[in-house]
């Protein structure tokens, strides 16, 4: 008799990282820091990062601002491609 516990199944869960910088002054490394922090967290949680989405110099508060990468990660989540 075989027990499933003898053969642990491990599936990687796909994840995406979204980074945004409101104002790009060319000096800050905020997006790089955000990505590094998220990569570390994903690694700790055992997630497989399959895509990094970055919007630079796009405010979250200004009305009518389109954030293309935010829209794209949302569509990926709806398509059940990411958590």
């Amino acid at each position: 008799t075989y027990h499933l516990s003898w053969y642990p199944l491990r599936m990687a869960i796909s994840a995406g990282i979204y980074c945004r910088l409101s104002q790009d002054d060319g000096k800050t490394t905020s997006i790089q820091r955000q990505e590094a922090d998220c990569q570390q967290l994903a690694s700790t949680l055992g997630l497989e990062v399959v895509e990094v989405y970055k919007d630079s110099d796009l405010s979250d508060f200004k009305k009518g601002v389109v954030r293309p990468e935010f829209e794209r990660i949302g569509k990926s989540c709806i398509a059940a491609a990411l958590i």
Side-chain angles (χ1 to χ4, degrees), residues 14-70:
S14 298
I17 293 173
Y18 176 71
C19 307
R20 182 183 59 81
L21 180 62
S22 294
Q23 293 179 331
D24 188 356
D25 59 8
K27 298 176 186 175
T28 186
T29 59
S30 178
I31 284 184
Q32 292 85 359
R33 181 186 42 76
Q34 289 174 39
E35 182 181 351
D37 290 349
C38 290
Q39 290 281 6
Q40 179 62 44
L41 178 60
S43 177
T44 299
L45 297 174
L47 303 175
E48 177 187 1
V49 176
V50 295
E51 187 87 35
V52 178
Y53 305 82
K54 299 176 185 178
D55 282 325
S56 184
D57 207 20
L58 295 172
S59 174
D60 189 30
F61 294 104
K62 290 182 183 175
K63 193 171 186 170
V65 173
V66 176
R67 294 173 287 153
E69 292 298 280
F70 182 76

